[in-house]
Amino acid sequence: MAPREQNLLDNRDERLSSFYHVVAKSVDIDDSPTPISLLGKDYVFLRREGKVIAFEDRCPHRGAPLSIGKFCDEYVECGYHGWKFGFDGGCIEIPALGKDASIPKAATLSGPFAVVERYGLVFIAIDEPKAEIIEIEEFDDPNFDVGYLETFDARQYAAFLADNFLDVAHFPFVHSSTFGDGEEKVVEDFEIVEEGTSFTATYEHSFSNREDPLVHTGEHELVQRRRLTYRFVPPFQLTLRIDFLATGGVNTIAFFVTPSAERSSRLYSLLIRNDLGGSKLAMGEAVAYEEKIIIEDLAVQEAYHAKGFPLSATGFVSTRADRVTSTFRRKLREALGEDISDE
Ligand code: FES
Ligand SMILES: [Fe+2]
């Protein structure tokens, strides 16, 4: 049998530089330098005059990390030989050459890069971004409360973690200790709408709402309708909105997977809900529950032996129950600029 064509995507693929990635929570970046890895490279982030700026964490002289340098109001001074750089990246002084020496053109920092703060998170695109930051309209709606999950580091390729977020067939198996026990094993057909390199997948079904207090008083039926809406923006920005049609409750979870290093990814997630009435305690419990679910997922994801995420259709055996994740894989290929005529 011919070997399967894999076309593996790893976390250091250069093409991923042309997309937004989350690198921190906004509250974690202040005026002191924070080194952060992205796509296997090292960057340094800091806040100046309220704005987040970023450079590659590498001095052009002998490659010392800038983050160990001295950051002043007007410039950063490398900790190795004292070269000084302005925050536009240009070198302004090389102490070993003496005052007024001419500065070589190549003595510039790599950066500053385009940084955007949104949803309480810091996004960066190293090259011109080929996709927008995902829209989460619930975030700005005053009827919704927002909770941030802890940040997880996972030993898995980012694309697998995104695929896992969009996968619905694993619930009864991986999540049997949390919500998966009563979940249907058979995956119904999702309605998928593609738009450019993004897509939305929707599915409405009946489920037993044991969390609804009005079920216990008899005002609501136990079996209720629920609509799931998954959204994807490349490369790894995802949301799941759950509409509880009997109660008007909406639970949205946003999931950003950052390809940090060779095989390590970072998960930033937030929970946006309109059914907690501003209760910090209830949000704390909801966040802790979501974290438990992520830990269940990571037990499977971190056990993989993969050498990268197979992008070609032949890399996995997919069935019609895998339509959403198959669409993800195909859209990701399109976003990365691959020819998909073999699909
Ligand atoms: S390595 Fe930065 S000044 Fe020499
Ligand atoms: Fe899961």
Side-chain angles (χ1 to χ4, degrees):
M1 201 169 88
R4 285 175 178 277
E5 172 56 54
Q6 295 272 298
N7 184 15
L8 299 176
L9 179 73
D10 70 35
N11 273 0
R12 291 186 301 188
D13 196 296
E14 296 256 321
R15 293 171 294 177
L16 294 171
S17 333
S18 313
F19 294 93
Y20 281 112
H21 302 282
V22 175
V23 285
K25 292 180 186 169
S26 282
V27 292
D28 292 334
I29 303 295
D30 57 20
D31 53 8
S32 53
T34 304
I36 296 173
S37 326
L38 177 66
L39 305 171
K41 289 194 175 148
D42 299 299
Y43 296 90
V44 57
F45 290 78
L46 75 151
R47 201 175 278 284
R48 284 195 71 258
E49 292 160 0
K51 282 205 151 139
V52 178
I53 57 170
F55 293 94
E56 198 176 327
D57 193 9
R58 183 184 177 281
C59 173
H61 178 219
R62 282 296 175 274
L66 265 194
S67 52
I68 61 159
K70 198 160 93 194
F71 285 76
C72 309
D73 281 352
E74 303 300 321
Y75 60 85
V76 45
E77 183 185 297
C78 178
Y80 198 0
H81 312 95
W83 288 23
K84 285 182 188 159
F85 301 91
F87 289 107
D88 60 354
C91 182
I92 50 180
E93 194 186 320
I94 296 179
L97 294 180
K99 285 251 176 279
D100 304 323
S102 70
I103 309 275
K105 262 217 175 69
T108 46
L109 298 178
S110 175
F113 300 104
V115 177
V116 180
E117 285 185 86
R118 203 138 164 219
Y119 311 131
L121 301 170
V122 177
F123 292 79
I124 188 171
I126 302 301
D127 297 324
E128 187 63 37
K130 289 188 177 152
E132 299 296 316
I133 292 172
I134 198 166
E135 282 302 327
I136 313 174
E137 50 192 51
E138 299 90 316
F139 186 88
D140 298 311
D141 185 329
N143 296 314
F144 283 76
D145 299 313
V146 178
Y148 291 83
L149 273 65
E150 88 173 73
T151 304
F152 289 92
D153 282 308
R155 190 185 152 274
Q156 175 61 301
Y157 299 99
F160 272 109
L161 297 166
D163 183 273
N164 174 232
F165 183 84
L166 293 166
D167 183 285
V168 291
H170 74 283
F171 296 161
F173 307 99
V174 174
H175 300 300
S176 56
S177 306
T178 50
F179 71 98
D181 219 9
E183 296 280 321
E184 259 307 324
K185 289 199 177 74
V186 174
V187 176
E188 301 292 339
D189 214 13
F190 276 77
E191 186 191 323
I192 300 179
V193 178
E194 299 182 21
E195 199 186 330
T197 52
S198 303
F199 73 86
T200 304
T202 324
Y203 160 57
E204 210 177 289
H205 71 140
S206 299
F207 79 112
S208 300
N209 193 352
R210 295 194 175 78
E211 279 183 42
D212 181 359
L214 297 182
V215 166
H216 303 289
T217 63
E219 285 165 75
H220 283 162
E221 301 279 333
L222 171 66
V223 176
Q224 300 177 5
R225 298 290 287 171
R226 177 170 77 172
R227 184 170 57 235
L228 307 183
T229 308
Y230 284 96
R231 284 198 301 128
F232 163 74
V233 172
F236 312 121
Q237 305 184 65
L238 301 144
T239 56
L240 165 62
R241 176 180 163 123
I242 307 174
D243 283 89
F244 297 93
L245 301 176
T247 62
V250 177
N251 293 2
T252 295
I253 178 156
F255 194 74
F256 299 95
V257 191
T258 304
S260 306
E262 159 58 13
R263 203 196 157 158
S264 115
S265 305
R266 199 159 249 223
L267 302 177
Y268 292 89
S269 2
L270 45 146
L271 206 52
I272 311 160
R273 292 178 59 154
N274 70 351
D275 56 352
L276 299 178
S279 161
K280 287 213 161 54
L281 185 70
M283 181 54 92
E285 282 171 4
V287 162
Y289 187 70
E290 290 300 333
E291 289 171 349
K292 236 171 117 177
I293 294 171
I294 289 184
I295 290 166
E296 290 175 336
D297 282 315
L298 293 186
V300 174
Q301 294 304 315
E302 294 195 313
Y304 268 64
H305 300 295
K307 298 271 181 283
F309 180 84
L311 284 172
S312 303
T314 50
F316 289 134
V317 178
S318 297
T319 71
R320 67 186 149 79
D322 303 305
R323 262 183 73 228
V324 177
T325 45
S326 294
T327 306
F328 157 70
R329 189 191 46 70
R330 181 167 45 76
K331 286 281 138 192
L332 183 58
R333 282 188 80 184
E334 261 184 71
L336 294 172
E338 294 203 355
D339 171 11
I340 56 158
S341 54
D342 58 334
E343 288 280 341

